[in-house]
Amino acid sequence: MIDYGATFKRLREDKGLKIVDLEQPNISRSLIGKFERGQTRISADRLDKLLSDMGVSHDEFLFLGGDRSDNYIYMKLHEMGVQTGEPKEMQQLEAMITRSTNDLKHGRGGIGARFMREFGIMLKYGIDKETDKQFYDRVEVKKRVQPAVDFLKQAETWGRIELDIFTLFYPGMSPTDLLALGRLAIKRAHFYSQLRTEQMRLVNIIDVVFTGLIYTDIEGAAEMLALEESVLKSMDEFMTNLTTQRLRLVYSKGILQMLQGDVEGGYAQAMSVVPAYEIAGMNQTAKFVQEAAKLTRKEILAGNPDNIPHTYSMLI
């Protein structure tokens, strides 16, 4: 459910506007204030007029409305937690699959239940440590990813649910599908990035595409990395907490540099972020960075870049 008043207030404040700035002869500041506090409703015509005055379309408003805590997909992701294949984590994953299956049978959760069930099964088979096949090459992964790919390709417009589904299933997409759908996702996220509170979504989606392509399509990955750097540079002072994103960018540049031929220079750059992660208390991320960089360097020097598990890029 969209909390229209709260969403309107968030957009107004994001635009740096006061209620008095939007007051009109037939839309008083008192009415706007009550609407924001949930004490009254306003007509669709009046709402669209106020949105227009703020430079926000109705589609943007609907896209940004609501709270992640009320979002089925985010609730289920929170329930299952981080998954690396450990027994306790796999139990959480199985429990999430069971709950999503039951919700789907009883008409709860809508499209979110359908895709969370498929996502859970995809992940279950995808993190199987007994096979040497790459994530997206595994038969069960392909089987679960294809409905999501078909759904996204057929979507006339992309809103929050389409972007969420894309970020769920990107690890199982073929490089060709990932690059094509990634460009669509970025284009849609760009549409909303004029709103400062949504700029981080754009950065994260670009990085999702980069991490999915880095070991399979170097040119596509380079395209994404250049775009991510450009967006980060353009972000205004409102987005002050960019330390993690900038460290991630430095690391990603190092890995790309290694794959492009400058193995030692890229390795040094990738490893340069480890102390920063450790100082920030992000020890698990620091460990993943070290493992990924070392393995990438080892396999490239041995002439076996195809032996690098692509899932390494998804852990950072």
Side-chain angles (χ1 to χ4, degrees):
M1 292 292 290
I2 295 177
D3 186 335
Y4 289 92
T7 301
F8 181 86
K9 181 180 180 181
R10 178 163 68 91
L11 287 170
R12 175 179 62 75
E13 292 177 343
D14 185 79
K15 294 285 187 177
L17 297 171
K18 297 179 180 179
I19 289 179
V20 67
D21 296 325
L22 298 172
E23 187 176 29
Q24 300 173 24
N26 64 337
I27 310 178
S28 68
R29 70 183 75 176
S30 174
L31 177 62
I32 297 172
K34 288 180 179 179
F35 170 61
E36 290 186 347
R37 293 190 295 273
Q39 296 173 348
T40 189
R41 298 181 179 182
I42 63 175
S43 68
D45 288 343
R46 284 179 172 177
L47 176 59
D48 283 344
K49 180 65 170 67
L50 290 171
L51 292 175
S52 177
D53 289 348
M54 289 197 298
V56 177
S57 72
H58 191 77
D59 283 345
E60 287 175 304
F61 181 74
L62 294 178
F63 177 86
L64 296 168
D67 186 337
R68 281 190 171 189
S69 65
D70 295 327
N71 182 300
Y72 185 92
I73 288 177
Y74 289 105
M75 287 193 298
K76 293 304 175 189
L77 287 174
H78 179 73
E79 286 178 15
M80 61 179 274
V82 176
Q83 295 290 319
T84 60
E86 299 302 321
K88 183 178 179 180
E89 294 167 352
M90 292 301 289
Q91 290 174 4
Q92 289 177 296
L93 178 60
E94 290 284 3
M96 188 281 290
I97 294 171
T98 299
R99 285 191 290 268
S100 296
T101 300
N102 288 335
D103 287 341
L104 191 60
K105 287 180 179 178
H106 293 89
R108 297 188 295 263
I111 197 170
R114 170 193 169 192
F115 282 111
M116 279 307 297
R117 178 181 181 276
E118 296 300 301
F119 169 71
I121 297 174
M122 176 196 81
L123 198 58
K124 173 183 175 181
Y125 289 102
I127 59 180
D128 179 4
K129 297 179 180 179
E130 300 303 318
T131 177
D132 293 329
K133 284 188 176 181
Q134 296 292 359
F135 195 101
Y136 64 84
D137 277 334
R138 300 175 190 181
V139 175
E140 280 294 334
V141 169
K142 289 181 178 180
K143 180 179 177 181
R144 303 300 168 179
V145 170
Q146 196 57 49
V149 170
D150 293 341
F151 172 80
L152 293 174
K153 285 183 176 179
Q154 293 167 11
E156 293 184 7
T157 61
W158 280 41
R160 185 183 297 275
I161 188 68
E162 285 77 17
L163 291 176
D164 287 345
I165 290 170
F166 173 75
T167 55
L168 284 179
F169 287 94
Y170 85 91
M173 294 180 187
S174 70
T176 301
D177 284 338
L178 177 58
L179 186 58
L181 291 174
R183 285 171 175 159
L184 283 177
I186 291 165
K187 182 179 180 180
R188 190 58 172 172
H190 255 303
F191 178 71
Y192 299 109
S193 65
Q194 61 176 296
L195 303 172
R196 295 178 297 182
T197 52
E198 286 298 305
Q199 288 178 326
M200 196 60 72
R201 174 186 288 270
L202 173 60
V203 172
N204 289 336
I205 287 175
I206 295 171
D207 185 69
V208 158
V209 185
F210 169 81
T211 55
L213 292 174
I214 182 60
Y215 292 117
T216 58
D217 182 348
I218 295 179
E219 290 185 5
E223 174 191 334
M224 294 300 117
L225 196 61
L227 180 57
E228 182 175 358
E229 183 171 22
S230 173
V231 172
L232 281 173
K233 285 182 178 178
S234 69
M235 291 172 77
D236 61 29
E237 292 302 315
F238 175 79
M239 303 301 297
T240 57
N241 186 22
L242 292 172
T243 302
T244 301
Q245 285 71 28
R246 287 178 176 137
L247 287 175
R248 189 174 66 189
L249 182 65
V250 172
Y251 165 79
S252 298
K253 282 184 173 181
I255 295 295
L256 180 63
Q257 193 174 338
M258 292 169 69
L259 291 166
Q260 289 175 327
D262 183 4
V263 180
E264 298 305 332
Y267 179 72
Q269 172 148 326
M271 293 294 285
S272 71
V273 304
V274 173
Y277 278 127
E278 291 174 339
I279 291 172
M282 302 173 67
N283 294 324
Q284 187 174 22
T285 302
K287 181 181 177 181
F288 283 148
V289 164
Q290 287 179 307
E291 290 181 355
K294 287 179 179 179
L295 182 62
T296 300
R297 177 177 179 271
K298 174 186 173 183
E299 296 297 349
I300 291 175
L301 291 176
N304 300 313
D306 290 340
N307 288 346
I308 304 167
H310 299 174
T311 48
Y312 264 109
S313 64
M314 302 166 197
L315 299 173
I316 307 303

